[in-house]
Amino acid sequence: MSKATALRDFYLNEKALTDGMKLLKVKIFENDVDLNDKKITNVIGTNLIINLSSKLSPNSSIKLSIDWEFKIPEVSTIRFGSYDSTSMFVAYWYPQIAVYDDVDGWDRIDYAGTLEMYNDFNDYDVEFTVPSGFQVWATGDWQNADEILNQKYLDRYNLAWQSEKVINIITKDDLALNDIYKTKIGSQSIKFIANNIPDFAFGISDHYLWDAVSFEVDKTSGRRVYCAAAYRQTSPEFVDVAFYAKESLKYFSFEIPGVPYPYPSATVFNGAGGMEFPMIVNNGREVTKAGTVHLTSHELTHQYFPFYIGTNERKYPFMDEGLAVMLPFDFQERTAEGYKPRERYVKAYEDFAGNEYDLPLMIPSPIISYRSYRTSGYNKPALAYDFLRKTLGDKLFFKAMQTYMARWNGKHPLPTDFFFTFNEVAGKDLGWYWKPWFYNFSYPDLSVTKIKSKNNSIKIQIKNIGGLPLPVKLQVMLDGEIIKEVNKTAEIWESGKETIEVNIDGIKKYDAVILGDKAIPDVNSVDNIHFK
Ligand SMILES: [Zn+2]
């Protein structure tokens, strides 16, 4: 992003704006491309369009080589930058080839503002030349630890690959000893290789602490996954991050969604904010346990979406962000005692639900504002997926998730590919659910409209004013006590009727019926209590 083309709708520190990426030389095969010839090249927003001298047919290839420069911002931007004079995280730092898909053709959406990811799957072979004393943490497999680290540290690094207990590879005392690297003066070359992955990012520092741990992800092959945290001494909460990273990846691999973590490693780099890249994430310091657990597990869920499953986040952020919110709910709840992520997202959604910024999720990101983006990308779809899980039941929901992931790993699914896979696995058309949650201007508003008593039972009439298929929780009250509680999943709205009835038996006497729960959104709860 350059100063001239800073397309954004949220605040960025002026110092974060550099001249961006500078192309020095572009070659197609062995021929130089004249970047000043407007007939050949054209810069539109953040895209450089190069007209080829001859057409490129399907199933053929061209060889491009590019020399470029990229100046690292001297402060932190929202996703990368410098955190002090010798620590930085670097992303969006090299020229990427736009995706060509069979729906939109070339992806010409600008890399700006909220539009984070849409990449094809590539192989990366990256060598960093850094001053001695600097460590690099990056996407991919580190190729030359033995050339860089002194034996004591190499042993710790290798031990971490075998250990379920967190190993402190670089401690505060080690930094003072200054005996970590083989090269004492000059520079050292640190090499990484990553295959079949959609992006590459890295963090660098000469004074970060470094912890790592691993777990066995596949019993048959004995394959282990290595999880690391690289962090500032002023982020004490990070001492637990390598452990939370390992526990998160175990949860994703063995429980939800129950797909083995596909990469060899994952590193959490302590920069700022929270931003995912393949095999490495850039996370700020969170001062509470809930915050640390939440951020670590959220950013790591992105390893599956949009990296393993190559969704187009630039158009449909709900396909990755919504799942990255919803899938770790259970993990967050049980790891950070007292933390209620579901209630948090219900509250966040209610703040905008039903107002003019609550737009149908299918409206592509580039044409909505940041105010709508949080609702559309995160809060509303997370609840849509979570209520669907309850509606279908865990067994069916995760079977559908796993089927979708097996089909679309390494590809570019559309929202309809997700919907159709679920319909197929569920053996029924779930259009009654997809349409209001993803396509319509529906919002959460249920109301108790009428109660009829007969013998020992009551019939409660509920009207769906906002049109969203939501779960229903009813509590029957007598003398200030709950005498009966009934829970129904969103399936209760499958018929598409605006009004439904719930029958509750065994009620001789009652004072009132209360509809709703803190974990179910409702923009108007005034009409949720019905007194006898
Ligand atoms: Zn996210």
Side-chain angles (χ1 to χ4, degrees):
M1 193 188 290
S2 73
K3 282 176 189 169
T5 57
L7 309 159
R8 57 196 155 95
D9 56 7
F10 50 81
Y11 175 76
L12 258 186
N13 185 330
E14 282 301 313
K15 277 190 180 168
L17 298 176
T18 69
D19 288 331
M21 195 180 303
K22 221 184 198 170
L23 295 182
L24 305 175
K25 185 178 262 196
V26 176
K27 276 183 169 191
I28 294 180
F29 292 110
E30 299 310 317
N31 306 316
D32 284 342
V33 173
D34 184 353
L35 294 170
N36 295 316
D37 186 341
K38 290 272 171 274
K39 284 197 242 37
I40 300 171
T41 63
N42 193 7
V43 175
I44 302 177
T46 62
N47 290 302
L48 166 71
I49 294 160
I50 302 176
N51 295 309
L52 300 177
S53 51
S54 58
K55 283 184 180 170
L56 181 66
S57 313
N59 301 315
S60 59
S61 64
I62 56 166
K63 186 181 163 196
L64 271 164
S65 53
I66 300 173
D67 294 352
W68 83 97
E69 277 178 4
F70 179 74
K71 197 172 163 190
I72 301 167
E74 59 186 279
V75 296
S76 171
T77 68
I78 53 165
R79 300 192 181 104
F80 64 90
S82 304
Y83 304 100
D84 58 53
S85 62
T86 55
S87 305
M88 48 216 79
F89 189 86
V90 183
Y92 297 99
W93 59 290
Y94 62 96
Q96 294 180 334
I97 307 298
V99 174
Y100 184 90
D101 67 31
D102 60 358
V103 177
D104 294 316
W106 288 108
D107 171 34
R108 292 182 180 216
I109 299 173
D110 282 312
Y111 253 118
T114 52
L115 316 173
E116 293 177 341
M117 297 279 172
Y118 190 36
N119 292 349
D120 269 318
F121 294 79
N122 311 299
D123 295 339
Y124 296 84
D125 186 341
V126 183
E127 183 174 332
F128 297 95
T129 303
V130 294
S132 167
F134 279 82
Q135 182 56 255
V136 178
W137 296 271
T139 301
D141 288 330
W142 188 14
Q143 299 296 302
N144 60 339
D146 53 341
E147 288 170 21
I148 303 296
L149 296 176
N150 275 323
Q151 198 60 44
K152 180 170 118 187
Y153 301 95
L154 182 64
D155 288 346
R156 291 179 189 172
Y157 173 72
N158 288 332
L159 181 60
W161 275 92
Q162 299 303 323
S163 171
E164 273 252 17
K165 211 178 130 257
V166 174
I167 304 295
N168 307 117
I169 301 176
I170 297 180
T171 65
K172 200 177 157 189
D173 294 342
D174 299 325
L175 290 167
L177 284 174
N178 194 22
D179 66 344
I180 302 165
Y181 304 102
K182 283 189 171 166
T183 308
K184 279 270 181 235
I185 42 167
S187 61
Q188 54 191 15
S189 286
I190 302 184
K191 297 169 189 166
F192 288 85
I193 286 181
N195 293 322
N196 195 29
I197 213 157
D199 199 1
F200 190 105
F202 62 96
I204 178 170
S205 179
D206 62 352
H207 60 272
Y208 266 30
L209 305 180
W210 181 13
D211 300 336
V213 63
S214 62
F215 70 97
E216 188 180 69
V217 72
D218 184 67
K219 277 220 166 4
T220 321
S221 67
R223 179 167 82 86
R224 297 183 74 81
V225 171
Y226 160 96
C227 313
Y231 57 102
R232 289 184 285 275
Q233 291 178 35
T234 50
S235 301
E237 301 77 10
F238 254 79
V239 297
D240 296 319
V241 166
F243 172 77
Y244 293 147
K246 179 195 72 170
E247 292 302 309
S248 302
L249 297 185
K250 277 171 86 170
Y251 166 88
F252 302 142
S253 298
F254 303 123
E255 293 181 63
I256 292 174
V259 174
Y261 182 69
Y263 307 123
S265 67
T267 297
V268 182
F269 183 89
N270 179 204
M275 183 61 201
E276 67 278 10
F277 295 94
M279 296 168 70
I280 190 164
V281 299
N282 178 12
N283 284 359
R285 174 191 176 195
E286 290 284 330
V287 292
T288 62
K289 183 178 176 180
T292 307
V293 167
H294 180 97
L295 188 61
T296 306
S297 54
H298 173 92
E299 300 306 339
L300 288 173
T301 317
H302 282 301
Q303 300 306 316
Y304 293 92
F305 310 96
F307 302 138
Y308 187 59
I309 314 298
T311 56
N312 185 349
E313 183 173 20
R314 296 161 72 172
K315 277 173 85 176
Y316 310 114
F318 63 84
M319 293 186 78
D320 73 299
E321 293 297 355
L323 287 169
V325 171
M326 175 268 178
L327 291 171
F329 274 162
D330 289 3
F331 173 76
Q332 292 162 354
E333 244 169 43
R334 74 185 186 211
T335 310
E337 307 80 13
Y339 180 46
K340 295 189 166 70
R342 288 180 168 88
E343 289 182 16
R344 173 184 161 179
Y345 280 90
V346 163
K347 178 82 188 54
Y349 176 41
E350 279 179 342
D351 286 347
F352 286 97
N355 78 18
E356 61 270 60
Y357 291 100
D358 181 9
L359 302 175
L361 303 189
M362 289 299 291
I363 297 179
S365 274
I367 51 174
I368 65 174
S369 72
Y370 190 65
R371 185 172 279 216
S372 294
Y373 174 76
R374 289 304 294 196
T375 301
S376 280
Y378 296 71
N379 307 337
K380 189 176 183 179
L383 299 179
Y385 298 131
D386 201 43
F387 295 145
L388 181 66
R389 174 184 167 186
K390 292 195 177 83
T391 302
L392 297 178
D394 278 6
K395 207 175 152 201
L396 191 54
F397 181 86
F398 292 114
K399 192 181 166 200
M401 274 305 293
Q402 289 163 7
T403 307
Y404 165 69
M405 291 172 74
R407 277 181 191 173
W408 292 97
N409 145 40
K411 301 185 184 123
H412 301 306
L414 290 172
T416 42
D417 296 313
F418 182 89
F419 303 151
F420 291 148
T421 305
F422 268 70
N423 287 354
E424 191 187 315
V425 175
K428 55 182 175 182
D429 183 359
L430 298 167
W432 63 271
Y433 195 85
W434 307 127
K435 202 162 178 286
W437 273 103
F438 291 85
Y439 290 84
N440 290 358
F441 278 96
S442 304
Y443 60 96
D445 187 10
L446 303 182
S447 162
V448 181
T449 42
K450 203 189 283 177
I451 299 179
K452 286 180 269 181
S453 306
K454 203 179 168 190
N455 303 326
N456 282 347
S457 72
I458 53 172
K459 210 174 256 210
I460 303 157
Q461 195 184 71
I462 301 164
K463 190 176 178 190
N464 195 336
I465 298 166
L468 271 189
L470 293 158
V472 168
K473 177 178 172 179
L474 290 163
Q475 290 174 320
V476 184
M477 310 294 293
L478 181 65
D479 300 330
E481 306 265 329
I482 302 163
I483 56 164
K484 188 105 181 179
E485 185 179 306
V486 169
N487 285 285
K488 301 277 181 194
T489 71
E491 195 175 15
I492 202 163
W493 304 105
E494 189 174 359
S495 68
K497 284 187 191 143
E498 196 188 19
T499 302
I500 49 114
E501 280 184 342
V502 178
N503 205 58
I504 305 180
D505 291 328
I507 307 290
K508 285 184 190 147
K509 245 179 100 183
Y510 75 98
D511 300 327
V513 168
I514 302 172
L515 166 72
D517 186 75
K518 277 186 190 158
I520 303 168
D522 197 315
V523 294
N524 177 20
S525 50
V526 172
D527 56 10
N528 288 17
I529 302 176
H530 203 279
F531 296 100
K532 188 178 163 83

